[in-house]
Amino acid sequence: MKAYKYIGQSVVKVDGKEKVSGAALYTDDLEFGPDLLYAEVVEGPHAHAIINSIDTSEALKVPEVLAVVTGKDFPFNFGLYMKDRFIFAQDRVRFYGEQIAAVVARTPQAAKKGAQLVKVNYTPLPKILNPLDSIKEGAELLHPELKNYEHVPWFFPKADTNIAHHRKIRKGDADKGFEEADYVLEDTYEVPRYSHCAIEFHAAVAKYDHSGRLTVWASSQSPHTQRNLFAQALAPLGIRHNDVRVIAPHVGGGFGSKAGVTMEIIAAAIAMKVQGHPVKVMWNREREFYNTYQRLGVVAKLKIGVKKDGKITALKHDLFWDAGAYVEYAANVVNAVGLSAIGPYNVENASIDSYCIYTNLPPGGPYRGFGYSEFLFGLESHMNRIAAHLGIDPIEIRRRNIIKEGDLTAYGAHMNPNGLLQAIDKVAEEIKWNEKLKSNDPDIALGKGFSLFWKAPAMPPNASSSCFLKFNEDASINLLVSGMDLGQGFLTVMAQIAAEILSVPTSKIRTENPDTDRNPYEWQTVASHITWGCGNAVRKAAIDARDQIFSLVSRTKYLPVDTLYLEDEKVKCTTHPKFALALKDFIINGIQMEDGTFKGGPVIGRGVFMPEYSSTNANPETSQGGHPNVHYTVGAAAAILEIDIQTGKMKVQKVVEAVDAGKALNPSLVKGQIVGGILQGISTVLYEEMKFDHRGKLLNPNFTDYKIPTALDIPGEIVPIIVEVPQPDGPFGARGVGEHTMIPIAPMIANAIDDALGVRIKTMPITAEKVCLEILKKGK
């Protein structure tokens, strides 16, 4: 294996000192001077209602109020994958808390007072708060105009229903597979909605200046995608793409909530009405809960048939997703899961129906794991139950069924190289799977749980990344990319890739947050693809720069290109050991020739990456024929769980998780992702749950009533394990790991409870109360 100097090293994060010292600036920290205006949003008090009239006259009388805007000012729909949203509600509201209008004032206090005086007259309509109710015969249509919505070609909305998209998989013959099975297990699993709980609120400031330029500063995972959507939505007002500039300061957590566009478009639109003034729109903690994307809830009906030896003969997975009032992003979550709901198994006969369903709850959207955590809760619980029925060890049944390199996925593409078997072995060894647990305390039960996981980047086939690489006089480098560092260490890893190719230490490479006017295109920082996608663009930019360097040196020093190499910021030659030309001596000013002329000039590298083999062209009735997913990242996890049988209280004693990173470009950062993912996963399975009342109003939009873990809830021991089976098209073999690390946690905990107590819990979250009730039920 080739030895690297920077790749595979736990280099210190390039933005670490800035963040630790408090020097890092976030959107709300930025100063905009005395012309700054503030907007307060008026929200609807119904989950579903017709808007009869809006009276803004009293609000406009409030001193320092400059404007009140409503849906009539912006009758334009928008959306990333399906254009079913409006900036402000038009003729009806579809979820409790939806924005109806906004009051713009010189002070936050005046804006808030004005918002309280806006009078809206409604006629309530029947509301639907459950996806299964939404698909019943005769259910109220929440989007009667669904058939007219513009959407990406791989979505299949059902006109005159509440099904916004239906991803259907048919592989082999599922009916025949079930007939051949010796045992069939069928059951239903439910997962509720969750909040992202990023520490930094959503925030956006927008200014439409007198030159016709719209600039938006936003806490964002998707600066270029936001620019695109702003330009599309505001095109009727004369805005073009090159009129829009998005500047993304540091982001204080996202987990998917700051992907695409949510509240940011409110600031952009309002700015068009108060030209010359910057306008700030700032969410508070409550709005973070009810008026940004939420993780979708799901009802999953699962049926698996197996032979006596545990080999899967057929799988049927019906997933009914609560996607909320608008599905412009959520429909792609549903689509991604539909393609992958066989899990990391080689299943010859599969039938999958993944339904994206409108309800009158807040819009669903991307969340770390993109639906995989939700469907694997049922699937990996099911695998343990089947193993118990057959008398086969839970790990052994997985070994017999796992998908291997070259096997066919649910949609007929070949599985990429992977280290799933190595991950299973390493986790089983570390958790001492074959050693039985015994508690010395009669009130404490102990159990072990195990789960596999897999996930592919959910992205359009033409999602692309790009990079500019600029050398400076001292051979330092400015690396211009447009991915966002959300704490995962993206900027550091990009610097490592450039450093390895150009022999310039990471301490001399500056990578910063994007400005769409200055930085080249990046689709989004989502889907755990940014290390792979943007990493490839950086690699190509560095190679481009290196090629320019070698070409210049070759034609000025008369040395063959193939004898040149870079080492310690110098160009060296394999055939002339004494030759060493420092980069700083020519990288900007060129190389002087004997006649006094100079050759060369500033070296600027350029790199672009798009997975040109990806395709969504497939039969919509079977999903066979395309190549929608670029690759899968796989892994395994296990835990030891302690349960107080008197109270149901649980404590995770130890977690082991192994993930196949392809190549860990920075092992410390990969291990950090594993630890972080485990903790977020534990939080969703043991603590979190969004609770709505009969009106569709969220009851717990705060951290008093919506529980998340503290330092006291961290497992006693966490063992992160890195497996490395290279991804053929990854930069140095790397693939993404960011979302995957939380995906196995819910079924792992559920399986540990079953091991400890012999009870199976099929609804999340798995609270102490539910455990206690199951213990009591079992005792009867």
Side-chain angles (χ1 to χ4, degrees):
M1 182 178 292
K2 183 179 179 181
Y4 297 117
K5 187 171 183 178
Y6 300 102
I7 294 298
Q9 305 301 314
S10 294
V11 172
V12 175
K13 294 174 75 170
V14 297
D15 58 349
K17 184 177 179 181
E18 185 182 5
K19 290 181 174 175
V20 170
S21 67
L25 295 178
Y26 298 80
T27 302
D28 193 37
D29 296 327
L30 304 179
E31 296 289 346
F32 292 91
D35 287 338
L36 178 66
L37 304 179
Y38 301 85
E40 181 67 24
V41 169
V42 179
E43 301 168 334
H46 299 281
H48 195 200
I50 294 292
I51 300 172
N52 297 316
S53 64
I54 302 175
D55 181 355
T56 64
S57 57
E58 292 301 314
L60 287 167
K61 294 177 184 175
V62 176
E64 299 190 294
V65 167
L66 273 66
V68 181
V69 297
T70 70
K72 292 187 184 303
D73 294 296
F74 309 104
F76 326 126
N77 57 353
F78 73 97
L80 182 56
Y81 294 98
M82 174 178 283
K83 298 187 188 309
D84 69 347
R85 292 194 76 167
F86 290 87
I87 300 168
F88 294 96
Q90 299 293 302
D91 58 340
R92 70 165 76 187
V93 292
R94 292 185 172 88
F95 71 94
Y96 198 109
E98 183 171 0
Q99 59 270 19
I100 308 297
V103 176
V104 188
R106 295 191 184 280
T107 66
Q109 294 80 6
K112 190 170 185 177
K113 184 176 180 180
Q116 292 169 345
L117 295 173
V118 174
K119 297 175 183 174
V120 186
N121 181 270
Y122 301 94
T123 298
L125 295 171
K127 56 187 172 299
I128 304 175
L129 307 179
N130 182 294
L132 297 184
D133 291 339
S134 194
I135 57 175
K136 286 180 178 174
E137 186 76 23
E140 178 85 3
L141 287 185
L142 304 188
H143 286 261
E145 60 282 11
L146 171 61
K147 56 181 172 293
N148 298 322
Y149 290 155
E150 186 180 340
H151 58 80
V152 293
W154 61 90
F155 280 4
F156 305 104
K158 303 300 179 188
D160 301 321
T161 75
N162 288 322
I163 298 174
H165 174 46
H166 177 194
R167 169 54 62 186
K168 186 188 295 186
I169 293 276
R170 298 292 183 269
K171 179 188 179 190
D173 187 336
D175 291 337
K176 185 180 176 186
F178 284 118
E179 289 175 4
E180 294 173 348
D182 295 318
Y183 174 63
V184 176
L185 177 63
E186 187 171 6
D187 214 332
T188 300
Y189 301 86
E190 294 186 38
V191 180
R193 289 171 163 247
Y194 289 92
S195 175
H196 300 74
C197 298
I199 296 302
E200 183 202 17
F201 301 154
H202 280 69
V205 180
K207 181 179 179 180
Y208 182 54
D209 65 29
H210 292 289
S211 72
R213 161 53 66 97
L214 176 64
T215 304
V216 181
W217 295 260
S219 179
S220 171
Q221 294 178 232
S222 320
H224 280 87
T225 290
Q226 290 194 336
R227 184 193 62 165
N228 183 36
L229 293 180
F230 294 159
Q232 289 182 4
L234 301 175
L237 300 178
I239 289 292
R240 299 168 302 187
H241 279 76
N242 64 351
D243 296 325
V244 183
R245 177 185 184 187
V246 176
I247 299 173
H250 288 292
V251 175
F255 310 114
S257 69
K258 293 168 183 169
V261 168
T262 56
M263 55 78 75
E264 302 84 7
I265 201 166
I266 297 174
I270 292 174
M272 301 291 294
K273 298 296 182 183
V274 287
Q275 192 168 11
H277 289 276
V279 181
K280 176 181 275 190
V281 180
M282 185 88 186
W283 262 197
N284 55 25
R285 180 54 65 189
E286 285 196 22
R287 284 192 174 121
E288 281 297 306
F289 275 94
Y290 66 72
N291 200 349
T292 60
Y293 293 133
Q294 297 176 1
R295 192 170 105 171
L296 283 67
V298 69
V299 178
K301 297 185 177 183
L302 178 60
K303 179 180 178 182
I304 295 180
V306 295
K307 302 295 285 185
K308 290 178 181 176
D309 63 359
K311 184 65 180 173
I312 296 172
T313 60
L315 175 148
K316 179 173 172 52
H317 215 161
D318 296 333
L319 298 128
F320 302 92
W321 295 91
D322 166 15
Y326 303 99
V327 305
E328 50 93 15
Y329 208 137
N332 206 40
V333 176
V334 174
N335 190 69
V337 170
L339 293 167
S340 301
I342 59 170
Y345 298 109
N346 184 20
V347 180
E348 295 183 357
N349 304 300
S351 171
I352 299 169
D353 291 278
S354 188
Y355 298 97
C356 179
I357 301 170
Y358 284 120
T359 66
N360 289 119
L361 291 175
Y367 179 108
R368 188 178 193 175
F370 220 69
Y372 283 66
S373 294
E374 294 91 306
F375 88 77
L376 273 173
F377 172 60
L379 181 59
E380 286 296 280
S381 296
H382 227 62
M383 291 301 290
N384 262 48
R385 296 172 66 187
I386 292 170
H389 178 85
L390 298 177
I392 301 174
D393 178 84
I395 291 183
E396 179 57 29
I397 196 171
R398 289 174 168 87
R399 286 184 201 276
R400 296 178 187 180
N401 286 287
I402 60 170
I403 194 165
K404 300 181 178 67
E405 179 182 356
D407 289 343
L408 295 181
T409 60
Y411 46 87
H414 293 284
M415 179 64 182
N416 53 278
N418 69 86
L420 185 53
L421 193 56
Q422 294 95 313
I424 292 173
D425 291 343
K426 288 177 182 292
V427 168
E429 180 182 1
E430 177 61 35
I431 205 73
K432 296 182 173 59
W433 183 253
N434 293 323
E435 293 184 11
K436 296 298 179 187
L437 297 171
K438 184 177 180 182
S439 172
N440 296 322
D441 185 338
D443 289 333
I444 297 295
L446 297 173
K448 287 181 182 176
F450 185 90
S451 176
L452 301 182
F453 62 90
W454 81 337
K455 185 186 177 297
M459 48 192 269
N462 58 346
S464 59
S465 303
S466 54
C467 171
F468 293 151
L469 185 153
K470 299 191 303 178
F471 270 102
N472 302 305
E473 288 83 346
D474 60 353
S476 65
I477 292 171
N478 288 91
L479 199 59
L480 278 68
V481 291
S482 289
M484 291 302 302
D485 199 313
L486 309 171
Q488 81 280 46
F490 158 72
L491 294 176
T492 304
V493 171
M494 295 303 108
Q496 288 181 254
I497 292 172
E500 186 64 47
I501 294 168
L502 296 170
S503 80
V504 175
T506 55
S507 60
K508 292 183 69 174
I509 300 176
R510 179 174 282 276
T511 54
E512 296 181 88
N513 293 320
D515 169 342
T516 57
D517 261 17
R518 310 284 183 261
N519 294 39
Y521 181 83
E522 176 63 53
W523 170 59
Q524 297 192 83
T525 306
V526 298
S528 304
H529 89 293
I530 199 74
T531 295
W532 169 76
C534 193
N536 271 321
V538 171
R539 184 181 65 85
K540 289 185 175 184
I543 291 172
D544 183 33
R546 186 184 64 187
D547 289 347
Q548 293 175 48
I549 291 168
F550 287 169
S551 175
L552 175 63
V553 172
S554 176
R555 68 188 174 99
T556 54
K557 300 298 182 183
Y558 310 110
L559 297 170
V561 168
D562 59 4
T563 66
L564 302 176
Y565 65 98
L566 290 171
E567 185 177 73
D568 298 331
E569 303 178 69
K570 297 181 178 70
V571 181
K572 297 185 178 180
C573 181
T574 55
T575 56
H576 294 74
K578 292 184 179 179
F579 179 81
L581 186 60
L583 295 175
K584 64 182 176 57
D585 290 340
F586 70 91
I587 203 72
I588 295 292
N589 294 323
I591 295 174
Q592 189 172 28
M593 307 300 287
E594 289 183 358
D595 63 359
T597 61
F598 286 84
K599 308 298 181 187
V603 172
I604 301 173
R606 168 189 175 275
V608 173
F609 177 73
M610 178 183 283
E612 296 183 344
Y613 54 85
S614 186
S615 167
T616 56
N617 286 345
N619 184 334
E621 294 301 314
T622 63
S623 295
Q624 304 299 313
H627 197 301
N629 288 335
V630 289
H631 60 255
Y632 286 88
T633 295
V634 300
I640 297 175
L641 185 69
E642 171 186 312
I643 307 170
D644 186 322
I645 60 176
Q646 298 299 325
T647 65
K649 185 175 181 180
M650 291 163 279
K651 182 171 181 56
V652 181
Q653 288 189 351
K654 180 176 182 177
V655 183
V656 182
E657 183 172 312
V659 62
D660 180 5
K663 175 64 182 177
L665 303 182
N666 185 317
S668 286
L669 294 178
V670 172
K671 290 179 180 178
Q673 288 289 318
I674 295 174
V675 172
I678 288 171
L679 295 178
Q680 193 167 9
I682 288 174
S683 184
T684 58
V685 66
L686 295 182
Y687 303 102
E688 300 180 49
E689 182 179 13
M690 306 192 93
K691 292 181 178 293
F692 297 88
D693 68 10
H694 65 285
R695 299 168 297 171
K697 181 181 181 182
L698 183 63
L699 295 173
N700 54 341
N702 56 70
F703 286 144
T704 300
D705 300 310
Y706 186 96
K707 301 294 186 185
I708 59 174
T710 70
L712 296 176
D713 302 305
I714 293 174
E717 183 181 7
I718 297 176
V719 182
I721 298 172
I722 298 172
V723 173
E724 294 182 319
V725 174
Q727 177 61 32
D729 65 347
F732 298 96
R735 62 174 76 87
V737 302
E739 297 165 286
H740 312 74
T741 53
M742 75 169 289
I743 292 173
I745 306 305
M748 179 187 75
I749 296 291
N751 290 338
I753 292 170
D754 182 49
D755 182 53
L757 303 173
V759 301
R760 173 61 58 181
I761 296 177
K762 297 177 286 187
T763 61
M764 286 178 62
I766 301 178
T767 61
E769 180 184 14
K770 285 184 184 175
V771 171
C772 258
L773 289 172
E774 290 296 327
I775 293 173
L776 291 172
K777 194 186 301 180
K778 186 181 179 187
K780 289 179 181 177

